[in-house]
Amino acid sequence: MNKFKYLLAFFSFIVLNFLIFNIHVCYENNDDQLLQFISSGTLTSNPSSYLVLTNVLIGKALSFLYSTFSYNGINWYFLYLCFCLQIAYLTSVFVFYKEKMVSSFAFFASLGIFLFGIFLPFFIQIQFTAVALFLCFAALLLLQTELTTKAEVCIVLFLISVAILIRKESFFIFILFSVPLLLFLWKNNISLKKPIFVIIFSSAFFFLSDLINKQQPAYITNNTYAEVNAFDRIYTKPISFTSTDLTKNNLTESDIRLIQNWYAADSIALEKKQVIAFSEQVKS
């Protein structure tokens, strides 16, 4: 029976790769297009590792690939997202393969749901935040089983570490779901030693990788994250402001509305100090 499950898993992986490279695939939103442009140097002819939304460590790897292996127009950014999503898929399949009580029919049905109902739609419209979340949930899925080998612990650590590098906010999702997960393991008399080690490691990795990212000279010089947080505060949250708030920063209501409608070409969007000061004033 295990051989049959193995063949099913292998066949589903082949089908997944066939579909990925034979159907039209696009990015779900403009963020990924922008990150690809930055890492590949599409607009500047100079690949950059400063992806802002994704950790600079991944940015350095991508800029190296684009700089060193630029022939044939290989889209390394897209391939790296596909690779990560494939790892998440294989981990999810492995968890069901590992479960001895799952029948071959249930295993086959689970593969169908995972392949066509969950993963394939996200491959067709791939998005870096979704990829980070899939890696995070794959790590949680494996973590809720009894980690019997060091290899399984390493897989969980790899999944959550890459998820954090892609989108650091995935760490908070991981911690949020880890609490009920620990209670579940405790009630089922499963050792908490390895899960607690994973949580401690991921916490340390989160703070260290975030520190490395924010200490990049280019980010410090350009005050990048203060700017990102300011625009994000205005873009995504309902804010209330008075005419006094606008006057203090030499802004108009039309300026704010244009920014909220993602019209970054508006001249006021380029006056970053004014926008940062305004966002700090109305953030409460």
Side-chain angles (χ1 to χ4, degrees):
M1 182 176 292
N2 283 337
K3 288 184 178 180
F4 180 66
K5 287 183 179 180
Y6 175 81
L7 288 173
L8 280 176
F10 179 74
F11 178 72
S12 72
F13 184 67
I14 296 299
V15 170
L16 178 62
N17 279 276
F18 174 80
L19 293 173
I20 291 171
F21 295 104
N22 286 276
I23 59 178
H24 178 69
V25 177
C26 63
Y27 294 126
E28 197 272 333
N29 61 38
N30 292 334
D31 287 345
D32 289 280
Q33 191 72 65
L34 181 60
L35 293 176
Q36 180 191 319
F37 284 171
I38 294 172
S39 60
S40 64
T42 299
L43 302 180
T44 63
S45 299
N46 182 30
S48 172
S49 58
Y50 300 113
L51 304 185
V52 182
L53 300 177
T54 291
N55 194 280
V56 70
L57 297 177
I58 286 182
K60 287 183 181 297
L62 287 172
S63 61
F64 170 78
L65 289 170
Y66 277 114
S67 300
T68 310
F69 306 101
S70 58
Y71 49 83
N72 296 328
I74 297 176
N75 187 347
W76 291 109
Y77 180 82
F78 171 74
L79 289 179
Y80 120 82
L81 289 182
C82 281
F83 173 76
C84 291
L85 206 50
Q86 287 174 329
I87 294 298
Y89 174 75
L90 287 174
T91 302
S92 303
V93 171
F94 171 73
V95 171
F96 280 88
Y97 177 82
K98 183 181 176 182
E99 180 55 62
K100 304 299 182 184
M101 299 301 292
V102 176
S103 66
S104 295
F105 176 76
F107 184 71
F108 178 76
S110 299
L111 284 180
I113 294 172
F114 272 115
L115 179 59
F116 296 105
I118 300 177
F119 281 90
L120 189 58
F122 282 94
F123 269 111
I124 294 173
Q125 289 192 309
I126 202 162
Q127 204 262 349
F128 77 108
T129 300
V131 172
L133 288 176
F134 270 112
L135 288 169
C136 175
F137 285 121
L140 288 166
L141 193 62
L142 183 55
L143 192 62
Q144 61 85 32
T145 67
E146 187 172 2
L147 300 177
T148 55
T149 66
K150 290 182 179 180
E152 291 177 0
V153 175
C154 290
I155 291 172
V156 174
L157 294 177
F158 172 79
L159 291 170
I160 190 58
S161 297
V162 176
I164 290 170
L165 291 177
I166 294 175
R167 188 84 192 218
K168 69 176 185 179
E169 289 80 4
S170 59
F171 167 75
F172 301 113
I173 302 296
F174 179 76
I175 293 299
L176 178 66
F177 283 92
S178 292
V179 175
L181 182 58
L182 289 175
L183 291 174
F184 168 79
L185 296 174
W186 177 69
K187 286 185 177 180
N188 286 274
N189 296 316
I190 298 176
S191 174
L192 299 180
K193 184 178 179 181
K194 291 176 182 176
I196 290 176
F197 169 75
V198 168
I199 292 172
I200 293 173
F201 177 91
S202 61
S203 300
F205 185 83
F206 168 78
F207 289 109
L208 180 60
S209 61
D210 191 45
L211 179 64
I212 292 172
N213 194 59
K214 288 183 177 179
Q215 290 301 310
Q216 296 301 306
Y219 291 154
I220 296 174
T221 301
N222 295 297
N223 205 17
T224 301
Y225 284 103
E227 175 192 330
V228 169
N229 292 333
F231 277 94
D232 187 58
R233 195 175 293 126
I234 297 173
Y235 280 145
T236 60
K237 297 179 181 178
I239 57 173
S240 59
F241 52 85
T242 65
S243 58
T244 303
D245 296 327
L246 294 171
T247 303
K248 282 183 179 179
N249 297 285
N250 195 27
L251 298 171
T252 66
E253 185 173 345
S254 296
D255 291 327
I256 303 305
R257 299 307 176 204
L258 283 170
I259 292 174
Q260 288 180 324
N261 284 281
W262 299 84
Y263 193 73
D266 178 39
S267 60
I268 196 60
L270 302 177
E271 300 296 330
K272 297 179 175 56
K273 289 184 179 180
Q274 290 176 241
V275 176
I276 292 172
F278 174 77
S279 70
E280 287 293 326
Q281 195 169 325
V282 300
K283 68 179 180 180
S284 57

